[in-house]
mmCIF file of all heavy atoms in Angstrom:
data_model
loop_
_atom_site.group_PDB
_atom_site.id
_atom_site.type_symbol
_atom_site.label_atom_id
_atom_site.label_comp_id
_atom_site.label_asym_id
_atom_site.label_seq_id
_atom_site.Cartn_x
_atom_site.Cartn_y
_atom_site.Cartn_z
ATOM 1 N N ARG B 758 13.742 8.539 -40.998
ATOM 2 C CA ARG B 758 13.017 7.416 -41.599
ATOM 3 C C ARG B 758 12.361 7.795 -42.915
ATOM 4 O O ARG B 758 12.101 6.946 -43.754
ATOM 5 C CB ARG B 758 11.925 6.931 -40.652
ATOM 6 C CG ARG B 758 12.395 5.916 -39.638
ATOM 7 C CD ARG B 758 11.219 5.161 -39.057
ATOM 8 N NE ARG B 758 10.270 6.067 -38.434
ATOM 9 C CZ ARG B 758 8.976 6.113 -38.739
ATOM 10 N NH1 ARG B 758 8.476 5.311 -39.636
ATOM 11 N NH2 ARG B 758 8.187 6.974 -38.123
ATOM 12 N N GLY B 759 12.028 9.062 -43.054
ATOM 13 C CA GLY B 759 11.337 9.495 -44.269
ATOM 14 C C GLY B 759 10.823 10.905 -44.072
ATOM 15 O O GLY B 759 11.114 11.558 -43.066
ATOM 16 N N THR B 760 10.048 11.366 -45.045
ATOM 17 C CA THR B 760 9.473 12.709 -44.969
ATOM 18 C C THR B 760 8.708 12.904 -43.666
ATOM 19 O O THR B 760 8.832 13.938 -43.001
ATOM 20 C CB THR B 760 8.513 12.913 -46.156
ATOM 21 O OG1 THR B 760 9.195 12.566 -47.364
ATOM 22 C CG2 THR B 760 8.033 14.339 -46.228
ATOM 23 N N THR B 761 7.929 11.907 -43.314
ATOM 24 C CA THR B 761 7.101 12.010 -42.109
ATOM 25 C C THR B 761 7.958 12.277 -40.876
ATOM 26 O O THR B 761 7.668 13.174 -40.086
ATOM 27 C CB THR B 761 6.312 10.695 -41.912
ATOM 28 O OG1 THR B 761 5.557 10.448 -43.096
ATOM 29 C CG2 THR B 761 5.410 10.768 -40.708
ATOM 30 N N GLU B 762 9.024 11.496 -40.710
ATOM 31 C CA GLU B 762 9.848 11.710 -39.526
ATOM 32 C C GLU B 762 10.575 13.048 -39.598
ATOM 33 O O GLU B 762 10.749 13.726 -38.578
ATOM 34 C CB GLU B 762 10.858 10.581 -39.317
ATOM 35 C CG GLU B 762 11.523 10.720 -37.949
ATOM 36 C CD GLU B 762 12.451 9.571 -37.581
ATOM 37 O OE1 GLU B 762 13.229 9.124 -38.447
ATOM 38 O OE2 GLU B 762 12.402 9.146 -36.419
ATOM 39 N N ILE B 764 9.499 15.838 -40.841
ATOM 40 C CA ILE B 764 8.584 16.910 -40.460
ATOM 41 C C ILE B 764 8.315 16.856 -38.952
ATOM 42 O O ILE B 764 8.297 17.888 -38.273
ATOM 43 C CB ILE B 764 7.279 16.828 -41.285
ATOM 44 C CG1 ILE B 764 7.609 17.064 -42.761
ATOM 45 C CG2 ILE B 764 6.254 17.853 -40.789
ATOM 46 C CD1 ILE B 764 6.449 16.836 -43.720
ATOM 47 N N MET B 787 -3.510 21.573 -49.935
ATOM 48 C CA MET B 787 -3.081 20.403 -50.716
ATOM 49 C C MET B 787 -1.997 19.593 -50.008
ATOM 50 O O MET B 787 -1.305 18.812 -50.646
ATOM 51 C CB MET B 787 -2.622 20.825 -52.124
ATOM 52 C CG MET B 787 -1.418 21.722 -52.170
ATOM 53 S SD MET B 787 -0.782 21.918 -53.864
ATOM 54 C CE MET B 787 -1.789 23.258 -54.491
ATOM 55 N N GLU B 788 -1.871 19.743 -48.683
ATOM 56 C CA GLU B 788 -0.815 19.007 -47.988
ATOM 57 C C GLU B 788 -1.166 17.539 -47.771
ATOM 58 O O GLU B 788 -2.316 17.167 -47.599
ATOM 59 C CB GLU B 788 -0.492 19.665 -46.644
ATOM 60 C CG GLU B 788 0.060 21.082 -46.755
ATOM 61 C CD GLU B 788 1.179 21.221 -47.775
ATOM 62 O OE1 GLU B 788 2.141 20.428 -47.723
ATOM 63 O OE2 GLU B 788 1.082 22.113 -48.639
ATOM 64 N N HIS B 789 -0.118 16.732 -47.730
ATOM 65 C CA HIS B 789 -0.186 15.322 -47.337
ATOM 66 C C HIS B 789 -0.426 15.290 -45.822
ATOM 67 O O HIS B 789 0.006 16.196 -45.109
ATOM 68 C CB HIS B 789 1.171 14.698 -47.677
ATOM 69 C CG HIS B 789 1.260 13.219 -47.526
ATOM 70 N ND1 HIS B 789 1.496 12.620 -46.318
ATOM 71 C CD2 HIS B 789 1.162 12.217 -48.438
ATOM 72 C CE1 HIS B 789 1.552 11.299 -46.498
ATOM 73 N NE2 HIS B 789 1.358 11.032 -47.773
ATOM 74 N N HIS B 790 -1.099 14.257 -45.336
ATOM 75 C CA HIS B 790 -1.366 14.179 -43.889
ATOM 76 C C HIS B 790 -0.093 14.355 -43.058
ATOM 77 O O HIS B 790 -0.134 14.868 -41.947
ATOM 78 C CB HIS B 790 -2.013 12.832 -43.527
ATOM 79 C CG HIS B 790 -3.384 12.663 -44.114
ATOM 80 N ND1 HIS B 790 -3.998 11.448 -44.236
ATOM 81 C CD2 HIS B 790 -4.255 13.574 -44.612
ATOM 82 C CE1 HIS B 790 -5.199 11.611 -44.794
ATOM 83 N NE2 HIS B 790 -5.372 12.894 -45.032
ATOM 84 N N SER B 791 1.037 13.916 -43.602
ATOM 85 C CA SER B 791 2.282 14.015 -42.829
ATOM 86 C C SER B 791 2.732 15.467 -42.661
ATOM 87 O O SER B 791 3.576 15.757 -41.821
ATOM 88 C CB SER B 791 3.384 13.190 -43.488
ATOM 89 O OG SER B 791 3.733 13.767 -44.728
ATOM 90 N N ASN B 792 2.189 16.376 -43.460
ATOM 91 C CA ASN B 792 2.498 17.795 -43.274
ATOM 92 C C ASN B 792 1.290 18.537 -42.690
ATOM 93 O O ASN B 792 1.160 19.748 -42.852
ATOM 94 C CB ASN B 792 2.931 18.430 -44.606
ATOM 95 C CG ASN B 792 3.705 19.730 -44.398
ATOM 96 O OD1 ASN B 792 4.273 19.979 -43.331
ATOM 97 N ND2 ASN B 792 3.707 20.584 -45.420
ATOM 98 N N THR B 838 4.050 21.858 -49.595
ATOM 99 C CA THR B 838 4.583 20.849 -50.496
ATOM 100 C C THR B 838 5.064 21.520 -51.776
ATOM 101 O O THR B 838 4.429 22.452 -52.268
ATOM 102 C CB THR B 838 3.518 19.763 -50.796
ATOM 103 O OG1 THR B 838 4.151 18.669 -51.435
ATOM 104 C CG2 THR B 838 2.404 20.278 -51.691
ATOM 105 N N VAL B 840 5.634 19.859 -54.715
ATOM 106 C CA VAL B 840 4.814 19.264 -55.772
ATOM 107 C C VAL B 840 3.700 18.468 -55.092
ATOM 108 O O VAL B 840 3.980 17.643 -54.222
ATOM 109 C CB VAL B 840 5.645 18.325 -56.672
ATOM 110 C CG1 VAL B 840 4.755 17.644 -57.708
ATOM 111 C CG2 VAL B 840 6.774 19.081 -57.372
ATOM 112 N N SER B 841 2.457 18.734 -55.472
ATOM 113 C CA SER B 841 1.328 18.029 -54.844
ATOM 114 C C SER B 841 1.281 16.575 -55.305
ATOM 115 O O SER B 841 1.359 16.300 -56.502
ATOM 116 C CB SER B 841 0.019 18.722 -55.200
ATOM 117 O OG SER B 841 -1.068 17.826 -55.007
ATOM 118 N N ASN B 842 1.113 15.674 -54.337
ATOM 119 C CA ASN B 842 1.071 14.249 -54.687
ATOM 120 C C ASN B 842 -0.262 13.846 -55.299
ATOM 121 O O ASN B 842 -0.393 12.735 -55.785
ATOM 122 C CB ASN B 842 1.374 13.369 -53.455
ATOM 123 C CG ASN B 842 0.311 13.490 -52.385
ATOM 124 O OD1 ASN B 842 -0.164 14.582 -52.090
ATOM 125 N ND2 ASN B 842 -0.076 12.371 -51.811
ATOM 126 N N ASP B 867 8.011 20.371 -48.119
ATOM 127 C CA ASP B 867 7.806 18.927 -48.264
ATOM 128 C C ASP B 867 8.214 18.590 -49.698
ATOM 129 O O ASP B 867 7.488 18.897 -50.648
ATOM 130 C CB ASP B 867 6.344 18.591 -47.993
ATOM 131 C CG ASP B 867 6.026 17.118 -48.267
ATOM 132 O OD1 ASP B 867 6.852 16.431 -48.905
ATOM 133 O OD2 ASP B 867 4.946 16.665 -47.859
ATOM 134 N N ALA B 868 9.390 17.990 -49.818
ATOM 135 C CA ALA B 868 9.957 17.723 -51.146
ATOM 136 C C ALA B 868 9.853 16.251 -51.526
ATOM 137 O O ALA B 868 10.548 15.785 -52.429
ATOM 138 C CB ALA B 868 11.405 18.194 -51.195
ATOM 139 N N ALA B 869 8.932 15.525 -50.865
ATOM 140 C CA ALA B 869 8.781 14.085 -51.145
ATOM 141 C C ALA B 869 8.505 13.829 -52.620
ATOM 142 O O ALA B 869 8.946 12.837 -53.184
ATOM 143 C CB ALA B 869 7.659 13.494 -50.289
ATOM 144 N N GLN B 870 7.752 14.754 -53.256
ATOM 145 C CA GLN B 870 7.391 14.566 -54.665
ATOM 146 C C GLN B 870 8.226 15.431 -55.600
ATOM 147 O O GLN B 870 7.986 15.434 -56.802
ATOM 148 C CB GLN B 870 5.904 14.910 -54.868
ATOM 149 C CG GLN B 870 4.939 14.008 -54.129
ATOM 150 C CD GLN B 870 4.816 12.640 -54.775
ATOM 151 O OE1 GLN B 870 5.233 12.432 -55.919
ATOM 152 N NE2 GLN B 870 4.270 11.681 -54.041
ATOM 153 N N PHE B 889 12.465 14.828 -47.577
ATOM 154 C CA PHE B 889 12.089 13.874 -48.636
ATOM 155 C C PHE B 889 12.376 12.439 -48.216
ATOM 156 O O PHE B 889 13.021 12.194 -47.199
ATOM 157 C CB PHE B 889 12.740 14.220 -49.976
ATOM 158 C CG PHE B 889 14.246 14.337 -49.971
ATOM 159 C CD1 PHE B 889 15.033 13.257 -50.366
ATOM 160 C CD2 PHE B 889 14.869 15.520 -49.614
ATOM 161 C CE1 PHE B 889 16.424 13.354 -50.389
ATOM 162 C CE2 PHE B 889 16.260 15.631 -49.626
ATOM 163 C CZ PHE B 889 17.030 14.550 -50.011
ATOM 164 N N SER B 890 11.860 11.488 -49.026
ATOM 165 C CA SER B 890 11.907 10.058 -48.691
ATOM 166 C C SER B 890 12.694 9.272 -49.728
ATOM 167 O O SER B 890 12.549 9.509 -50.926
ATOM 168 C CB SER B 890 10.489 9.475 -48.662
ATOM 169 O OG SER B 890 9.692 10.136 -47.714
ATOM 170 N N GLY B 891 13.443 8.280 -49.277
ATOM 171 C CA GLY B 891 14.238 7.448 -50.178
ATOM 172 C C GLY B 891 13.410 6.582 -51.112
ATOM 173 O O GLY B 891 13.750 6.413 -52.276
ATOM 174 N N HIS B 892 12.287 6.051 -50.595
ATOM 175 C CA HIS B 892 11.564 5.047 -51.382
ATOM 176 C C HIS B 892 10.886 5.613 -52.610
ATOM 177 O O HIS B 892 10.410 4.864 -53.454
ATOM 178 C CB HIS B 892 10.550 4.301 -50.501
ATOM 179 C CG HIS B 892 9.444 5.171 -49.984
ATOM 180 N ND1 HIS B 892 8.257 5.316 -50.640
ATOM 181 C CD2 HIS B 892 9.357 5.947 -48.878
ATOM 182 C CE1 HIS B 892 7.470 6.127 -49.955
ATOM 183 N NE2 HIS B 892 8.121 6.530 -48.879
ATOM 184 N N LYS B 893 10.807 6.925 -52.731
ATOM 185 C CA LYS B 893 10.205 7.516 -53.921
ATOM 186 C C LYS B 893 11.256 7.884 -54.954
ATOM 187 O O LYS B 893 10.957 8.533 -55.954
ATOM 188 C CB LYS B 893 9.424 8.775 -53.540
ATOM 189 C CG LYS B 893 8.202 8.481 -52.705
ATOM 190 C CD LYS B 893 7.478 9.770 -52.378
ATOM 191 C CE LYS B 893 6.491 9.563 -51.272
ATOM 192 N NZ LYS B 893 5.368 8.712 -51.658
ATOM 193 N N ILE B 900 14.134 5.071 -45.110
ATOM 194 C CA ILE B 900 15.221 6.046 -45.006
ATOM 195 C C ILE B 900 14.760 7.329 -45.711
ATOM 196 O O ILE B 900 14.056 7.283 -46.711
ATOM 197 C CB ILE B 900 16.548 5.537 -45.628
ATOM 198 C CG1 ILE B 900 17.705 6.504 -45.381
ATOM 199 C CG2 ILE B 900 16.404 5.300 -47.135
ATOM 200 C CD1 ILE B 900 18.282 6.428 -43.996
ATOM 201 N N ARG B 1028 -2.559 4.158 -57.943
ATOM 202 C CA ARG B 1028 -2.989 4.377 -56.569
ATOM 203 C C ARG B 1028 -4.435 4.858 -56.620
ATOM 204 O O ARG B 1028 -4.809 5.628 -57.502
ATOM 205 C CB ARG B 1028 -2.066 5.441 -55.950
ATOM 206 C CG ARG B 1028 -2.431 5.871 -54.566
ATOM 207 C CD ARG B 1028 -1.792 5.003 -53.503
ATOM 208 N NE ARG B 1028 -2.284 5.442 -52.201
ATOM 209 C CZ ARG B 1028 -1.597 6.222 -51.390
ATOM 210 N NH1 ARG B 1028 -0.388 6.633 -51.702
ATOM 211 N NH2 ARG B 1028 -2.111 6.591 -50.223
ATOM 212 N N HIS B 1032 -5.280 9.325 -51.018
ATOM 213 C CA HIS B 1032 -3.874 9.696 -51.176
ATOM 214 C C HIS B 1032 -3.319 10.430 -49.960
ATOM 215 O O HIS B 1032 -2.499 11.349 -50.093
ATOM 216 C CB HIS B 1032 -3.667 10.563 -52.425
ATOM 217 C CG HIS B 1032 -4.333 10.008 -53.643
ATOM 218 N ND1 HIS B 1032 -3.855 8.905 -54.303
ATOM 219 C CD2 HIS B 1032 -5.474 10.371 -54.281
ATOM 220 C CE1 HIS B 1032 -4.660 8.628 -55.316
ATOM 221 N NE2 HIS B 1032 -5.655 9.496 -55.318
ATOM 222 N N CYS B 1033 -3.752 10.045 -48.763
ATOM 223 C CA CYS B 1033 -3.296 10.707 -47.533
ATOM 224 C C CYS B 1033 -3.498 12.212 -47.619
ATOM 225 O O CYS B 1033 -2.677 12.991 -47.139
ATOM 226 C CB CYS B 1033 -1.832 10.411 -47.231
ATOM 227 S SG CYS B 1033 -1.494 8.689 -46.979
ATOM 228 N N ARG B 1048 -5.019 7.578 -59.348
ATOM 229 C CA ARG B 1048 -3.855 8.381 -59.719
ATOM 230 C C ARG B 1048 -2.835 7.531 -60.472
ATOM 231 O O ARG B 1048 -2.365 6.523 -59.978
ATOM 232 C CB ARG B 1048 -3.204 8.962 -58.474
ATOM 233 C CG ARG B 1048 -2.056 9.916 -58.804
ATOM 234 C CD ARG B 1048 -1.245 10.250 -57.573
ATOM 235 N NE ARG B 1048 -0.501 9.094 -57.115
ATOM 236 C CZ ARG B 1048 0.225 9.057 -55.999
ATOM 237 N NH1 ARG B 1048 0.263 10.108 -55.208
ATOM 238 N NH2 ARG B 1048 0.886 7.980 -55.657
HETATM 239 C C1 PLP C 1711 3.846 15.005 -50.694
HETATM 240 C C2 PLP C 1711 4.162 13.916 -49.720
HETATM 241 N N1 PLP C 1711 4.545 14.222 -48.465
HETATM 242 C C3 PLP C 1711 4.861 13.290 -47.570
HETATM 243 C C4 PLP C 1711 4.813 11.951 -47.843
HETATM 244 C C5 PLP C 1711 5.138 10.961 -46.757
HETATM 245 O O1 PLP C 1711 6.286 10.269 -47.016
HETATM 246 P P1 PLP C 1711 6.764 9.065 -46.087
HETATM 247 O O2 PLP C 1711 5.571 8.163 -45.952
HETATM 248 O O3 PLP C 1711 7.855 8.440 -46.878
HETATM 249 O O4 PLP C 1711 7.202 9.622 -44.799
HETATM 250 C C6 PLP C 1711 4.436 11.564 -49.129
HETATM 251 C C7 PLP C 1711 4.371 10.140 -49.474
HETATM 252 O O5 PLP C 1711 3.380 9.503 -49.604
HETATM 253 C C8 PLP C 1711 4.094 12.565 -50.084
HETATM 254 O O6 PLP C 1711 3.703 12.234 -51.323
#
Side-chain angles (χ1 to χ4, degrees):
Chain B
R758 274 199 302 125
T760 309
T761 304
E762 190 174 43
I764 296 173
M787 63 170 85
E788 297 312 309
H789 188 277
H790 294 162
S791 67
N792 200 22
T838 192
V840 176
S841 160
N842 65 318
D867 174 346
Q870 296 286 345
F889 56 97
S890 301
H892 65 92
K893 292 180 195 292
I900 186 78
R1028 175 88 184 260
H1032 312 287
C1033 299
R1048 185 192 69 185

